[in-house]
């Protein structure tokens, strides 16, 4: 029976690829006729870049909107002339279901028993929020049994059969690296440079969150093995366990946390490439990876050393595997997606939205793509295998959520509900306002906090921001005219994957939030890569004049250099200066106390006199390299120094520059004390020290 449904899309390999599209023209195609159209689209790009430059650097929003509107008109006009609209959908090919058959396993009954017993043992053994070697063993056996039962012959990213023939032949080892892989290696190196350059200097100061992290790392080093860390609102533990291993080798500093999160960020670069390549070919994949590698958004999240970078990394990996699984209907890829998703749950809270987005993608593909619909039962079985493995891996987290639901959901509940603060103005109104602010985040006004980026600066540089707007426009055109479900899903992904930020209904001031929206980073970069690759492919496909092709290539290269420079300036120069001026000067205080320690041989006779909203003494202890000092570091009032008179030897008291009262009290207690004024490199952050010789 003929399908009469008019709402049909094409997904993946069924959608027209950029490199396969050809222009649709009336009459003979001539170079003279092509040239004006291509010059007009280059002019549209120029208008978009000028618009974003005015928005980002000058704040001229009216001029920017007019220029963007003009660029949009020219781009749509060009697309209508050169993009082929989708014709009648051909009947879907006969589904090949042989690849979905489960292989005959000799030990399938034993493996099923291991799976069931292992899952139950993992759930029972996860009580009291304690991970043990036995728990890891039974859960590992259950996962191995799951893979043994469900993996079919076919694509396997961890099998040597997938990659070994490229590098080992009958003649021995061989170097089989093409230009595409060399380009990816170069991009990864660029990304590593952005993440590791002056890593100790930007940002230089820790904040209280980093001290909280070390409390958890210290507990791991002391033998604790939490599954979930309930302190500070509740946190997943991947970063803490990796940092604990690294700290055991090198000692704990701010650099320890930075190296862990930057390593995750560097690992995300090839995942973004694979994601973009799966959707629209190698050009989009490489450009998306490059934009991600130099993006101040991801660089700031990585170098600030929070758990959020794991959301970006696992999001990129899961999105790549999801689209591949749907495009190719590969049962094995669904299983590897489950493995990645399960591990992602242990990275960062906002990653949970990726699991929801994956489900939406599967349902949308089955509903709107006739090719996928023909194998809907098998696709749903593949998705079930994804979530089955993800839930199996997440059993310890699930057990913690069952035992301690309040702690497990605390961070999300305090933002989404009135658990901590009332929602002012009604939930729907606040949510719509949050979505609007999130839309503005990319090109107009971003995160308000100074912790990770220049306050209120757009999260994208002016080059990437312009490409992102053009990419959204081009993706929307592909979704509407060509029924490209992949493009439509990318547009939807912006809104879905930023929900961890926009659902901060009780604290709308925290939206947009770079860290909570980090799962959307891969989608944003792929959309930004689309238009530039689109123009390049058009020039090649149309055999445009040499001068035009060269102009397009020179323009593209120049834009990427400008994007790299803009991100470098924004993060390392502008943000570096803002962070140095705004953050507290714990390192300077630690330097003074460290000098005193070298003089007298101990820091046991050094104290900080408490002052509201001043330095965190735990961070000072970390800077000193003696975290135990935090237990005796602070006296709440100057009067608490009176008992110290009975201690022999020198003493040091560090005071806020405005704490005149405490200084007078200490002078009364120690008339022989010597006051030192310590000038800070940060305006308004100078402090005093009272040194007691004997």
């Amino acid at each position: 029976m003929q399908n009469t449904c008019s709402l049909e899309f094409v997904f993946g390999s069924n959608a027209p690829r950029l490199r396969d599209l050809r222009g649709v023209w009336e009459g003979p195609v001539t170079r003279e006729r092509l040239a004006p159209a291509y010059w007009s689209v280059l002019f549209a790009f120029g208008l978009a870049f000028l618009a974003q430059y005015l928005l980002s650097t000058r704040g001229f929003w009216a001029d920017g909107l007019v220029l963007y509107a003009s660029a949009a008109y020219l781009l749509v006009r060009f697309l209508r002339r050169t993009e082929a609209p989708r014709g009648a959908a051909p009947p879907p090919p006969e589904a090949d279901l042989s690849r979905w058959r489960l292989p005959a396993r000799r030990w399938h009954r034993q493996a099923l028993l291991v799976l069931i017993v292992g899952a139950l043992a993992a759930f029972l053994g996860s009580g009291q929020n304690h991970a043990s070697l036995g728990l890891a063993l039974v859960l590992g056996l259950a996962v191995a049994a799951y893979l043994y039962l469900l993996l079919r012959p076919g694509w396997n990213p961890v099998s040597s059969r997938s990659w070994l023939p490229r590098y080992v032949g009958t003649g021995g080892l061989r170097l089989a690296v093409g230009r595409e892989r060399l380009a990816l290696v170069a991009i990864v190196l660029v990304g590593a440079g952005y993440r590791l350059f002056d890593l100790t200097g930007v940002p230089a100061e820790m904040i209280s969150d980093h001290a909280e992290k070390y409390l958890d790392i210290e507990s791991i080093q002391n033998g604790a093995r939490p599954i979930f860390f309930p302190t500070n609102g509740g946190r997943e533990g991947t970063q803490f366990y990796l940092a604990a291993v690294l700290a055991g080798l090198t000692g704990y500093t701010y650099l320890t946390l930075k190296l862990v999160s930057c390593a995750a960020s560097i690992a995300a670069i090839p995942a973004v490439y694979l994601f973009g390549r799966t959707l629209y070919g190698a050009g989009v994949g490489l450009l998306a990876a490059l934009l991600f590698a130099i993006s101040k958004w991801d660089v700031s999240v990585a170098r600030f050393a929070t758990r959020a970078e794991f959301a970006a990394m696992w999001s990129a990996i899961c999105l790549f595997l999801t689209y591949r699984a749907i495009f190719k209907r590969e049962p094995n890829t669904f299983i590897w997606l489950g493995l990645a998703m399960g591990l992602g749950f242990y990275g960062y809270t906002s990653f949970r939205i990726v699991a929801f987005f994956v489900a939406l993608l599967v349902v949308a593909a089955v509903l709107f793509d006739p090719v996928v619909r023909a194998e809907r039962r098998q696709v749903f079985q593949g998705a079930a295998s994804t979530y089955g493995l993800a839930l199996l891996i997440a059993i310890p987290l699930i057990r913690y959520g069952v035992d301690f639901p309040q702690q497990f959901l605390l961070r999300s509940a305090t933002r989404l509900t009135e658990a901590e603060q009332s929602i002012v103005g009604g939930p729907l109104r606040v949510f719509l306002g949050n979505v609007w602010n999130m839309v503005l985040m990319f090109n107009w006004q971003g995160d308000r906090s100074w912790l990770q980026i220049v306050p209120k600066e757009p999260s994208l540089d002016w080059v990437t921001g312009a490409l992102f707007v053009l990419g959204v426009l081009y993706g929307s055109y592909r979704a509407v005219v060509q029924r490209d479900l992949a493009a439509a899903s990318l547009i939807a992904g912006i809104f879905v994957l930023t929900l961890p930020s926009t659902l901060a209904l009780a604290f709308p001031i925290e939206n947009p939030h770079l860290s909570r929206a980090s799962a959307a980073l891969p989608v944003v970069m792929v959309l930004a890569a689309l238009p530039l690759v689109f123009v390049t492919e058009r020039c090649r496909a149309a055999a445009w004049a040499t001068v035009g092709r060269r102009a397009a290539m020179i323009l593209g290269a120049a834009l990427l250099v400008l994007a790299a420079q803009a991100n470098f300036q924004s993060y390392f120069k502008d943000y570096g200066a803002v962070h140095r001026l705004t953050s507290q000067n714990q390192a300077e205080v630690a330097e003074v106390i460290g000098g005193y320690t070298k003089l007298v041989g101990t820091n046991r006779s050094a104290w900080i006199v408490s002052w509201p909203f001043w330095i965190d003494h735990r961070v000072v202890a970390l800077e000193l390299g003696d975290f135990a000092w935090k237990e005796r570091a602070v006296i709440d009032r100057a009067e608490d120094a009176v008992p110290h008179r009975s201690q022999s030897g020198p003493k040091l008291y560090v005071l806020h520059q405005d704490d005149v009262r405490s200084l007078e009290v200490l002078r009364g207690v120690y008339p022989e004390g010597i006051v030192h004024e310590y000038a800070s490199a940060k305006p308004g952050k100078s402090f005093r020290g009272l040194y007691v010789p004997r």
Side-chain angles (χ1 to χ4, degrees):
M1 181 176 180
Q2 187 176 1
N3 193 342
T4 60
C5 177
S6 61
L7 190 58
E8 286 188 349
F9 289 76
V10 284
F11 209 173
S13 57
N14 309 305
R17 293 293 185 95
L18 293 180
R19 57 177 177 269
D20 298 330
L21 295 174
R22 296 293 184 267
V24 178
W25 300 86
E26 295 179 1
V29 177
T30 64
R31 182 172 297 180
E32 291 75 15
R33 191 175 181 192
L34 284 171
Y38 285 107
W39 284 118
S40 69
V41 78
L42 293 181
F43 185 59
F45 272 65
L47 291 176
F49 291 126
L50 179 58
Q52 189 56 51
Y53 182 81
L54 293 176
L55 288 173
S56 298
T57 64
R58 297 291 184 267
F60 296 159
W61 65 269
D63 297 345
L65 288 180
V66 171
L67 291 170
Y68 261 134
S70 303
Y73 168 76
L74 291 174
L75 180 61
V76 172
R77 185 169 178 267
F78 176 78
L79 292 172
R80 293 181 65 180
R81 294 191 66 188
T82 61
E83 288 284 284
R86 184 192 174 210
E94 185 177 350
D96 178 16
L97 305 181
S98 60
R99 63 182 179 278
W100 293 96
R101 295 195 188 100
L102 286 172
R105 298 296 190 189
R106 180 179 180 182
W107 307 100
H108 69 278
R109 289 193 179 91
Q110 293 88 339
L112 183 61
L113 181 63
V114 170
L115 172 60
I116 296 172
V117 173
L120 289 174
F123 184 82
L124 296 175
S126 302
Q128 304 303 314
N129 191 28
H130 179 70
S132 63
L133 182 61
L135 172 62
L137 179 62
V138 297
L139 189 58
L141 288 174
V143 171
Y146 194 98
L147 297 176
Y148 174 78
L149 288 169
L150 295 185
L151 278 179
R152 286 87 160 171
W155 184 70
N156 186 346
V158 300
S159 172
S160 60
R161 295 180 181 179
S162 302
W163 53 267
L164 197 59
R166 299 174 184 171
Y167 305 104
V168 179
T170 55
L173 295 176
R174 63 189 180 193
L175 184 63
V177 181
R179 287 180 296 177
E180 185 179 334
R181 289 187 175 85
L182 286 176
L184 178 60
V185 170
I187 290 170
V188 171
L189 292 176
V190 170
Y194 269 73
R195 284 149 186 82
L196 301 179
F197 172 74
D198 194 18
L199 191 53
T200 58
V202 183
E205 295 279 358
M206 288 184 275
I207 63 171
S208 296
D209 275 358
H210 298 112
E212 293 283 348
K213 291 176 187 297
Y214 184 66
L215 289 172
D216 293 321
I217 294 170
E218 186 181 46
S219 71
I220 295 172
Q221 293 177 326
N222 291 335
R225 297 293 182 267
I227 297 166
F228 189 79
F229 294 78
T231 57
N232 201 24
R235 293 165 298 169
E236 296 78 7
T238 299
Q239 184 190 33
F240 306 143
Y241 279 101
L242 293 176
V245 173
L246 185 58
L249 300 174
T250 64
Y252 180 84
T253 64
Y254 194 8
L255 183 62
T256 308
L257 283 175
K258 288 181 178 180
L259 287 173
V260 171
S261 55
C262 285
S265 179
I266 294 170
I269 296 173
V272 173
Y273 154 75
L274 291 171
F275 173 39
R277 190 182 193 279
T278 300
L279 285 172
Y280 295 114
V284 172
L286 289 172
L287 184 55
L290 179 58
L291 294 175
F292 181 88
I294 63 176
S295 169
K296 62 181 178 181
W297 180 358
D298 188 71
V299 169
S300 67
V301 172
R303 293 172 66 106
F304 190 60
T306 64
R307 296 167 297 122
E309 190 54 49
F310 288 93
M313 182 191 76
W314 287 116
S315 174
I317 294 172
C318 287
L319 290 173
F320 153 61
L321 292 171
T322 300
Y323 282 97
R324 180 183 174 106
I326 296 174
F327 286 2
K328 297 179 177 293
R329 272 87 65 201
E330 290 180 338
N332 282 1
T333 308
F334 278 107
I335 295 172
W336 296 120
L337 171 60
L339 181 66
M341 187 183 294
L343 295 174
F345 287 138
Y346 291 90
Y348 185 56
T349 307
S350 68
F351 172 80
R352 299 172 193 173
I353 198 65
V354 175
F356 175 68
F357 183 59
V358 168
L360 291 181
L361 286 175
V362 172
V363 172
V366 170
L367 289 178
F368 299 122
D369 189 319
V371 177
V372 179
R373 192 185 309 139
E375 301 181 40
R376 58 186 178 276
R377 180 178 299 177
Q378 289 72 26
V379 170
F380 279 135
Q381 289 174 353
S385 69
T386 293
Y387 287 96
L389 182 54
L391 292 175
L392 176 64
I393 295 171
I395 279 178
L397 273 180
I398 295 171
R399 175 61 190 272
Y400 180 86
V402 171
D403 291 344
F404 309 99
Q406 278 192 316
Q407 291 91 329
F408 185 65
L409 298 173
L410 179 63
R411 186 174 290 269
S412 300
T414 54
R415 268 61 192 166
L416 179 60
T417 70
E418 296 183 330
E420 186 173 316
Q421 179 173 297
S422 299
I423 300 175
V424 180
L428 180 59
R429 181 178 177 183
V430 174
F431 175 69
L432 293 177
N434 282 353
V435 171
W436 175 247
N437 288 333
M438 177 59 70
V439 170
L440 297 179
M441 163 184 140
F442 306 106
N443 303 87
W444 175 246
Q445 180 176 286
D447 201 320
R448 296 174 176 87
S449 172
W450 57 268
L451 293 174
Q452 293 177 278
I453 199 170
V454 177
K456 298 185 178 181
E457 188 175 80
S459 60
L460 302 177
D461 65 276
W462 63 272
V463 176
T464 310
L467 290 174
F468 174 68
V469 171
L470 294 173
V472 170
L473 183 64
Y474 179 52
S476 301
Y477 186 91
R478 287 181 67 95
V480 173
V481 176
Q482 297 175 339
R483 303 292 177 85
D484 182 354
L485 187 56
S489 66
L490 291 178
I491 306 297
I494 298 172
F495 297 95
V496 175
L497 296 174
T498 55
L499 282 174
S501 177
T502 55
L503 285 176
L505 305 182
F507 294 88
I509 191 67
E510 296 180 359
N511 175 76
H513 196 290
L514 290 182
S515 294
R516 294 173 193 163
S518 58
L521 260 165
V523 171
V524 172
M525 296 306 156
V526 169
L527 281 171
L530 271 176
L532 197 57
V533 177
F534 152 71
V535 168
T536 304
E537 295 292 343
R538 281 298 170 278
C539 293
R540 292 177 180 175
W544 193 20
T546 302
V547 63
R549 292 199 303 270
R550 289 179 178 175
M553 289 188 292
I554 293 172
L555 173 64
L559 288 171
L560 294 177
V561 171
L562 289 173
Q565 187 276 333
N567 282 290
F568 188 92
Q569 173 68 34
S570 174
Y571 184 78
F572 291 100
K573 303 297 183 182
D574 300 340
Y575 163 73
V578 168
H579 191 275
R580 281 190 294 271
L581 293 176
T582 310
S583 60
Q584 292 291 352
N585 55 334
Q586 284 112 169
E588 291 179 337
V589 174
E591 185 178 0
V592 169
I593 297 175
Y596 168 81
T597 302
K598 291 180 181 178
L599 178 66
V600 303
T602 180
N603 58 24
R604 293 180 177 272
S605 56
W607 294 272
I608 297 172
V609 182
S610 180
W611 183 260
F613 308 108
W614 193 30
I615 58 177
D616 189 327
H617 66 283
R618 300 171 302 175
V619 175
V620 176
L622 286 172
E623 295 285 359
L624 285 171
D626 182 9
F627 198 55
W629 179 74
K630 73 182 187 302
E631 303 298 338
R632 55 183 180 276
V634 178
I635 57 174
D636 293 328
R637 301 179 309 134
E639 289 80 1
D640 295 336
V642 174
H644 300 163
R645 287 188 61 87
S646 60
Q647 299 179 18
S648 60
K651 301 173 183 64
L652 175 66
Y653 297 90
V654 178
L655 305 95
H656 190 275
Q657 62 177 349
D658 295 332
D659 194 358
V660 178
R661 176 194 168 277
S662 294
L663 180 60
E664 292 301 321
V665 172
L666 289 173
R667 277 177 166 169
V669 177
Y670 301 105
E672 71 279 20
I674 304 170
V675 178
H676 293 276
E677 301 284 345
Y678 296 101
S680 173
K682 304 180 180 186
K685 302 294 175 62
S686 298
F687 57 97
R688 293 189 176 100
L690 180 72
Y691 173 67
V692 182
R694 294 295 174 193

